[in-house]
């Protein structure tokens, strides 16, 4: 079974695509997929689907959705779902667990590749770090769970995934900078600075790439824009490390 949450939700079993079209069963499957291999308590599923206002029929509805999902994972509504119930989507304790090979879950593959890339970067192997981190980032097909209604637990999971993705992206840019690719990074970093106006580390890398490309004036302008954004949005100044970078630019200009 292949599970994808780094973009639109995809769950492909023996019988083909198993993602339901109805919003709540889709959302329930998304939470099970996000926590693949772990037991998700029934009360957490209810909280995700209805938050603070579950109907009296919530438990029955969850059980109905689970039956529908088991049929989808089995392949067709006429297929015997006993094996799926036992091995793929069993009831464990007071919850349900979606079982899959870790290598067939895109979020797990991304995390493993990104971690290998991070270790390569820390070890000074910048070429390997760049390759591994690019490979990890290519697993993303768009925003995580882009086509799923999001409740509180999926929101927390999606936020965590996005933070991990940004960290991997930052590390990949750093590896490329250390490989002397500052010229080819400028356009990408310009777009990222616009997309994440308060993300200091990406802005710092943008400033460095501009300076190394022989554009110190634009590097200082990029610092001033970051300072303006932080003051207007958060009421703070850039961190000490970014201010130190600005001073170094002023001295060398």
């Amino acid at each position: 079974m292949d599970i994808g949450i780094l973009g639109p939700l995809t769950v492909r079993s023996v019988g083909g695509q198993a993602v339901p079209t109805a919003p709540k069963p889709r959302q329930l499957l998304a939470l099970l997929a996000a926590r693949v291999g772990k037991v998700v308590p029934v009360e957490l599923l209810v909280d995700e689907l209805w938050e603070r206002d579950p109907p009296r029929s919530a438990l029955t509805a969850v059980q109905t959705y689970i039956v529908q999902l088991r049929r989808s994972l089995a392949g067709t509504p006429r297929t015997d779902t006993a094996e799926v119930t036992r091995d793929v989507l069993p009831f464990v304790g007071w919850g349900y667990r979606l079982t899959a090979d870790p290598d067939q879950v895109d979020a797990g593959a991304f995390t493993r590749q990104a971690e290998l890339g991070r270790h390569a970067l820390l070890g000074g192997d910048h070429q390997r770090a760049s390759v591994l981190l690019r490979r990890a980032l290519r697993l993303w097909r768009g925003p995580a769970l882009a086509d799923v209604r999001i409740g509180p637990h999926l929101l927390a999971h999606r936020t965590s995934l996005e933070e991990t993705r940004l960290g991997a992206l930052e590390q990949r840019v750093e590896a490329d900078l250390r490989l002397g690719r500052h010229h080819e990074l400028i356009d990408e970093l310009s777009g990222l600075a616009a997309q994440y106006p308060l993300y200091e580390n990406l802005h710092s890398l943008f400033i460095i790439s501009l300076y190394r490309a022989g554009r110190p004036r634009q590097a200082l302008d990029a610092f001033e824009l970051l300072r303006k954004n932080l003051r207007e949005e958060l009421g703070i100044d850039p961190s000490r490390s970014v201010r130190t970078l600005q001073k170094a630019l002023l001295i060398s200009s």
Side-chain angles (χ1 to χ4, degrees):
M1 181 167 60
D2 294 314
I3 297 175
I5 64 174
L6 304 181
L9 176 64
T10 60
V11 178
R12 186 173 296 277
S13 64
V14 175
Q17 188 58 244
V19 178
T21 57
K24 287 197 182 299
R26 191 184 194 92
Q27 186 178 3
L28 187 148
L29 178 58
L31 185 55
L32 291 168
R35 300 192 175 200
V36 67
K38 299 178 181 179
V39 176
V40 184
V42 171
E43 60 266 27
L44 192 145
L45 293 170
V46 170
D47 190 45
E48 170 65 27
L49 294 179
W50 291 282
E51 299 188 40
R52 299 176 184 85
D53 189 29
R56 291 183 179 180
S57 60
L59 291 179
T60 301
V62 167
Q63 292 168 351
T64 300
Y65 299 154
I66 291 292
V67 170
Q68 293 171 359
L69 292 177
R70 284 169 173 164
R71 287 174 178 167
S72 296
L73 292 167
T76 70
R78 296 180 182 178
T79 303
D80 181 6
T81 59
E83 184 178 347
V84 172
T85 300
R86 184 184 68 246
D87 299 330
V88 181
L89 185 51
F91 181 72
V92 182
W94 187 240
Y96 295 93
R97 180 182 64 220
L98 183 63
T99 305
D101 187 326
D103 291 334
Q104 296 177 307
V105 182
D106 63 355
F110 162 72
T111 302
R112 290 189 295 275
Q113 289 286 334
E115 186 66 11
L116 289 172
R118 185 180 72 85
H119 282 296
L121 181 62
L122 291 173
D125 191 345
H126 304 131
Q127 181 63 46
R128 176 172 167 78
S130 177
V131 169
L132 288 170
L133 289 163
R134 285 178 184 274
R135 188 179 299 164
L137 290 163
R138 278 198 296 269
L139 292 171
W140 285 75
R141 297 166 286 114
L145 300 169
D147 59 349
V148 177
R149 178 185 177 274
I150 299 294
H153 302 287
L154 280 178
L155 177 60
H157 192 77
R158 186 171 67 177
T159 300
S160 177
L161 282 172
E162 177 62 17
E163 290 173 352
T164 305
R165 186 189 72 84
L166 276 175
L169 179 58
E170 177 191 330
Q171 291 157 12
R172 194 228 84 212
V173 170
E174 183 179 344
D176 286 344
L177 271 176
R178 292 179 181 273
L179 291 168
R181 297 171 179 167
H182 38 270
H183 284 284
E184 58 195 82
L185 286 169
I186 288 175
D187 286 346
E188 179 186 5
L189 283 168
S190 177
L192 289 170
Q195 185 178 359
Y196 302 100
L198 306 178
Y199 199 117
E200 283 191 286
N201 289 349
L202 283 176
H203 283 260
S204 295
L205 294 171
F206 182 35
I207 291 167
I208 292 169
S209 69
L210 286 167
Y211 176 75
R212 290 184 180 175
R215 296 155 70 171
R217 183 68 260 170
Q218 288 177 269
L220 288 169
D221 290 343
F223 170 82
E224 290 300 330
L225 179 59
L226 172 62
R227 177 158 60 182
K228 175 177 176 290
N229 291 338
L230 289 172
R231 283 181 173 175
E232 289 181 353
E233 296 295 326
L234 303 177
I236 62 174
D237 285 319
S239 64
R240 179 178 295 179
S241 62
V242 181
R243 295 199 307 272
T244 300
L245 176 60
Q246 184 231 11
K247 289 177 182 177
L249 290 173
L250 289 170
I251 292 171
S252 62
S253 299

